[in-house]
Amino acid sequence: MLSYDFSHLGGNYRGLNIRASMRNLAGTRYVTNCMTSGTSAGWCWYGERRTGQVTVGYSW
């Protein structure tokens, strides 16, 4: 996660911050889990896709 506190720009920006995070940045396709049931072929589940989130916050 990346974050930045805007108070470094001056007193008017005290309490303002921004955060950003990314998962699976390369967009890699991967298997997280597989399960078989008796004689059937079974099932596999893929991992999380590429996701991102940005949050802007202010505290006073």
Side-chain angles (χ1 to χ4, degrees), residues 4 6-7 14 17 19-22 26-30 32-33 36-37 39 42-43 47-48 51 54 56-57:
Y4 184 76
F6 285 91
S7 65
R14 193 171 80 180
N17 61 60
R19 294 184 180 114
S21 65
M22 294 279 303
T28 306
R29 191 173 187 184
Y30 59 97
T32 59
N33 192 14
T36 60
S37 176
T39 58
W43 298 274
E48 190 174 357
T51 59
V54 175
V56 177

Side-chain angles (χ1 to χ4, degrees), residues 7-28:
S7 65
H8 301 290
L9 299 177
N12 292 336
Y13 299 103
R14 193 171 80 180
L16 181 62
N17 61 60
I18 189 168
R19 294 184 180 114
S21 65
M22 294 279 303
R23 290 185 181 186
N24 196 8
L25 185 60
T28 306

